[in-house]
Amino acid sequence: MIKLSYSPYTLNPVSSLNAVSLPTPREGVLFKVDWNDGHIGYGDLQPWPELGDATLQEQLAGLRAGKISAQIEQTIWLARRDAEARAKKRNLFDFGIPVKNNYTLTHIEDLEGGLLDQLKADGFDTIKVKIGRDLQDEAAALVRIAAAGFKIRLDFNALANWQIFERFMKNLTPSVRSYIEYVEDPFPYEPNAWLEAKKLAPIAIDNQYHKVRWDDLKENPFDIIVIKPAKMDVDTAIYQCQEHGLKATVTSYMDHPVGVAHAITVAMELKKAHGDLILQAGCLTHRLYQMDRFAAELDVKGPFIRRVPGTGVGFDQLLGEMSWYHIKLR
Ligand code: MG
């Protein structure tokens, strides 16, 4: 038996976060999970209905009715991982080895004012660009990013279609294209269309992951799985990578710093266990929101999240000070 409590939070975006969301405050909850073996751990739940998740209210209502969503299942799994480290008074950042993160560029206007020089000086070598607001300006930005020598990760969030994707890619020069490490979710998943897309760039699957019928795959329609521990069974995804010769990128879910700390420590542990299978991570997402007391606890140096002080994922004192509301499970 477990006892669940939650504590609501609000994250205030610095500006809008992708092509499908407005810069409105984001609501989520932290979970405190008590197991009857005495373990206590913490996890985060930050749904993205814009990207197909059930809303926070739906997931909490489901929970009260005894239905655990896939996302809450992950929250509890991560909380258990946290709880076991806390019980041993160990910090989860000590379980793995350092993993670099890409820089996430949500607005290409941010390139003005010497950002690329700054990122290079800070030690970044890979920039993730969200595509879909203004394809022409975005293509121009890629020219600048490639000229500065950065590897590029593109994310279409499955919002384009084959024609848009093909035109966008073919309009890039071969030189710019050579800097593209991969393209995430170019358009809605369809194995044969993605096999065609793969001829233009390595392809990563992220929010289309649930559509894959693994048993039917003859040829891989993608090269990389974007593992989001916040909503995806990590061991299963790693097994799929091994079985199908894929690589993995671990990312946070543009969620609370507790979620960020969970994601990066999972990435660090996987890196230690699986080496080259684990690519650079994408967990530096807390800066998309205004600084709060939790974000201030993240010790970030350039592309590395080095530690959060405390046990488990850290934040011991802040988590202890929060008000927790018990959820009655049926
Ligand atoms: Mg994505």
Side-chain angles (χ1 to χ4, degrees):
M1 269 302 285
I2 57 173
K3 211 174 92 188
L4 290 176
S5 319
Y6 71 97
S7 191
Y9 65 78
T10 304
L11 300 174
N12 294 300
V14 176
S15 54
S16 98
L17 300 175
N18 51 39
V20 289
S21 71
L22 295 166
T24 45
R26 299 204 62 87
E27 310 290 337
V29 298
L30 294 180
F31 270 98
K32 178 182 179 184
V33 189
D34 282 80
W35 281 266
N36 63 3
D37 62 3
H39 283 78
I40 296 177
Y42 299 89
D44 180 24
L45 177 64
Q46 164 77 251
W48 280 85
E50 301 92 328
L51 300 174
D53 296 338
T55 65
L56 186 59
Q57 287 69 27
E58 285 165 346
Q59 295 196 46
L60 292 178
L63 190 59
R64 290 194 181 91
K67 272 184 284 184
I68 296 184
S69 68
Q71 241 185 309
I72 292 178
E73 208 173 301
Q74 285 310 108
T75 304
I76 294 173
W77 180 78
L78 290 165
R80 180 71 197 187
R81 189 173 164 270
D82 176 57
E84 285 174 10
R86 281 180 197 277
K88 296 186 193 113
K89 302 250 178 291
R90 290 194 61 194
N91 185 297
L92 279 168
F93 284 84
D94 296 328
F95 284 48
I97 57 175
V99 180
K100 256 190 185 187
N101 290 278
N102 63 237
Y103 181 83
T104 301
L105 186 71
T106 44
H107 291 85
I108 50 175
E109 309 84 74
D110 295 351
L111 285 182
E112 306 307 325
L115 178 67
L116 293 175
D117 291 338
Q118 186 59 51
L119 293 178
K120 190 142 273 184
D122 286 347
F124 287 93
D125 57 38
T126 303
I127 297 182
K128 172 171 174 171
V129 184
K130 304 226 165 205
I131 298 291
R133 276 203 192 85
D134 184 324
L135 297 175
Q136 227 167 349
D137 286 356
E138 284 153 0
L142 298 188
V143 175
R144 293 175 63 182
I145 295 169
F150 289 94
K151 282 191 286 175
I152 300 169
R153 295 173 166 181
L154 298 180
D155 192 356
F156 284 85
N157 270 318
L159 294 170
N161 57 37
W162 163 252
Q163 286 78 7
I164 290 172
F165 170 72
E166 185 190 34
R167 199 181 324 134
F168 185 85
M169 295 302 291
K170 288 194 168 162
N171 279 342
L172 299 173
T173 64
S175 160
V176 171
R177 268 159 65 175
S178 72
Y179 283 91
I180 296 179
E181 183 190 8
Y182 59 71
V183 176
E184 224 171 288
D185 295 331
F187 45 84
Y189 180 70
E190 200 286 307
N192 290 323
W194 276 40
L195 279 171
E196 284 302 307
K198 225 177 80 164
K199 293 176 184 164
L200 297 173
I203 300 292
I205 191 159
D206 174 21
N207 70 32
Q208 301 293 292
Y209 172 80
H210 61 283
K211 295 185 181 169
V212 180
R213 293 162 162 249
W214 292 93
D215 294 340
D216 298 345
L217 283 189
K218 291 185 191 75
E219 209 181 325
N220 295 326
F222 43 83
D223 309 276
I224 292 120
I225 300 180
V226 178
I227 299 182
K228 289 196 156 76
K231 61 181 291 184
M232 189 186 288
D233 186 276
V234 175
D235 295 334
T236 304
I238 290 292
Y239 173 77
Q240 286 156 344
C241 285
Q242 290 167 329
E243 284 293 291
H244 296 270
L246 307 169
K247 306 256 185 198
T249 293
V250 178
T251 78
S252 50
Y253 202 39
M254 295 199 287
D255 47 3
H256 189 279
V258 165
V260 169
H262 269 301
I264 190 63
T265 55
V266 167
M268 291 166 74
E269 216 179 324
L270 291 176
K271 185 76 185 169
K272 189 177 177 184
H274 302 288
D276 289 345
L277 189 145
I278 307 298
L279 303 174
Q280 210 165 102
C283 298
L284 270 181
T285 49
H286 62 287
R287 286 189 183 137
L288 304 175
Y289 301 104
Q290 286 165 27
M291 175 69 90
D292 63 14
R293 293 168 73 206
F294 278 87
E297 294 278 298
L298 296 169
D299 173 10
V300 177
K301 177 102 167 80
F304 295 101
I305 302 174
R306 297 193 296 192
R307 177 175 281 271
V308 179
T311 55
V313 286
F315 310 104
D316 300 13
Q317 198 186 334
L318 291 175
L319 291 165
E321 288 166 8
M322 296 181 85
S323 309
W324 296 96
Y325 304 96
H326 179 56
I327 297 188
K328 271 221 168 72
L329 303 177
R330 276 212 313 218

